[in-house]
Amino acid sequence: MNRLRQVLDPFLLLLIATVALASVLPARGEGARIADMAADAGIVLLFFLHGAKLSREAIWSGAKAWKLHLATLGTTFVAFPILGLIIGRFGIVPQDMRAGLLFLTLLPSTVQSSIAFTAIARGNVAAAVVSASFSNLLGIFLTPVLVALLMQRSGSGSLISLSSVEGIVLQLLLPFVVGHLLRPWIGGFVTRHKSLLGKVDRGSILLVVYAAFSAAVVEGLWSKVSGSELLALAGLCIAILAVILLFTLALGRMMGLSREDAIVLQFCGSKKSLASGVPIAGVLFPAAAVGPILLPIMLFHQIQLMACAFLARHYGAQVDDKKDSE
């Protein structure tokens, strides 16, 4: 039971409960308008906190490993999207899900779990902080651009409209910049109240998910998705993760990275951020389309946690065994 709790992310259970609530009691009419406003406010708060939590000291301390960071960013924003485009050519799942899979591959890396798994595996934690944080920062700019370029070409979406650009600026960039500029004054508060702010962080995501799936359910989401299609989607998510894990392993060896840096490349390069994906999708896509778009990243989120938790413990045990034998 303890191992199950370590592997199964409690936040995923909250996400499933939120989707179930939206499926049974979707927001309609005035309730939908209020839910959308609350979701928008949650997005602003989410990126404000992301900006306030970004430490300049951590960035400078690990920025020396620039080859590692370029490899990680290349995996996140080049290798992943290429894989997403390839998978999009096969009609294994419906078009909306293929669009979600492509969107998944365009997202930045996670921060907290990438750093945590790197630490468990005895990797270069300072470099992981830089790679994961920089990936998230660039994702605010790069993900919308990649959506505009690649989802248009693949037929999965449309070019970013003026209203989407305004949403990106007002809901993502501006709160992030303001939060970071205010860090000298609120950084201490953020550090002292990490657990409370983490709840606010996740609560904001749940608000966006509820509003998105409510709109999708009203449009008939579950009448268009079968159980076999969900299983196929999970299989594709597993396949994507397996390919990227093998790719980062091979790339680290080809570059001659140290064991510690190779771990950073694998864990930071193989992750996709649910925390960034949910609000970005809420800004870029129509309300009714966000639900299907988010299904792949919600599945991938749990799959990556289970796989990387196993790998991190395996790598860490290797180091412990080596020390015991010396």
Side-chain angles (χ1 to χ4, degrees):
M1 183 62 69
N2 288 334
R3 289 184 178 180
L4 180 62
R5 289 174 180 172
Q6 289 174 358
V7 172
L8 188 61
D9 181 14
F11 185 50
L12 179 71
L13 301 179
L14 290 175
L15 282 172
I16 293 173
T18 301
V19 172
L21 178 63
S23 300
V24 177
L25 295 173
R28 302 174 183 268
E30 183 64 17
R33 190 181 72 84
I34 294 173
D36 287 338
M37 291 176 60
D40 289 343
I43 291 173
V44 171
L45 180 60
L46 182 68
F47 276 83
F48 175 82
L49 292 176
H50 274 291
K53 288 188 285 189
L54 182 63
S55 169
R56 298 177 196 178
E57 293 78 11
I59 291 177
W60 290 119
S61 67
K64 298 177 182 179
W66 60 272
K67 289 183 180 180
L68 168 62
H69 305 319
L70 286 178
T72 302
L73 292 174
T75 301
T76 302
F77 294 113
V78 179
F80 250 118
I82 290 174
L83 187 56
L85 288 172
I86 292 173
I87 289 177
R89 293 183 177 274
F90 301 95
I92 300 175
V93 293
Q95 177 64 32
D96 287 345
M97 288 187 181
R98 295 203 300 273
L101 281 169
L102 180 54
F103 177 68
L104 153 69
T105 64
L106 307 181
L107 293 173
S109 178
T110 62
V111 177
Q112 289 91 343
S113 62
S114 293
I115 297 170
F117 288 140
T118 298
I120 293 171
R122 312 293 195 274
N124 186 342
V125 175
V129 170
V130 176
S131 283
S133 299
F134 195 42
S135 175
N136 255 248
L137 181 60
L138 280 181
I140 300 174
F141 303 90
L142 282 182
T143 295
V145 172
L146 290 172
V147 167
L149 294 175
L150 300 183
M151 296 190 76
Q152 168 67 15
R153 290 182 180 178
S154 68
S156 302
S158 58
L159 289 173
I160 297 178
S161 64
L162 180 60
S163 62
S164 294
V165 174
E166 292 175 352
I168 293 167
V169 172
L170 295 178
Q171 291 180 258
L172 307 184
L173 292 181
L174 185 59
F176 186 92
V177 171
V178 171
H180 189 60
L181 291 177
L182 291 177
R183 180 175 170 79
W185 292 276
I186 65 175
F189 177 85
V190 171
T191 302
R192 291 192 302 270
H193 298 83
K194 278 186 177 180
S195 60
L196 175 61
L197 294 180
K199 293 177 182 177
V200 173
D201 199 34
R202 295 188 170 196
S204 301
I205 295 174
L206 293 176
L207 274 174
V208 177
V209 169
Y210 176 74
F213 272 89
S214 289
V217 168
V218 170
E219 293 293 324
L221 169 65
W222 297 124
S223 64
K224 303 174 184 177
V225 178
S226 67
S228 61
E229 289 170 343
L230 284 175
L231 287 175
L233 180 62
L236 288 174
C237 288
I238 292 171
I240 290 173
L241 181 61
V243 169
I244 291 297
L245 286 172
L246 291 173
F247 173 79
T248 51
L249 180 64
L251 181 60
R253 290 177 178 175
M254 186 176 67
M255 294 176 62
L257 296 178
S258 66
R259 177 193 176 278
E260 291 76 14
D261 286 351
I263 285 173
V264 175
L265 174 59
Q266 186 163 65
F267 286 134
C268 293
S270 64
K271 297 289 195 313
K272 288 297 178 177
S273 175
L274 178 70
S276 297
V278 170
I280 290 176
V283 172
L284 292 181
F285 301 105
V290 174
I293 290 287
L294 290 179
L295 275 177
I297 182 60
M298 290 176 65
L299 283 173
F300 190 85
H301 171 78
Q302 183 60 31
I303 292 168
Q304 72 182 5
L305 287 179
M306 290 190 290
C308 291
F310 172 80
L311 283 175
R313 288 195 292 268
H314 174 68
Y315 292 151
Q318 286 181 329
V319 175
D320 294 337
D321 291 342
K322 184 177 180 180
K323 287 181 179 179
D324 291 339
S325 63
E326 290 177 352

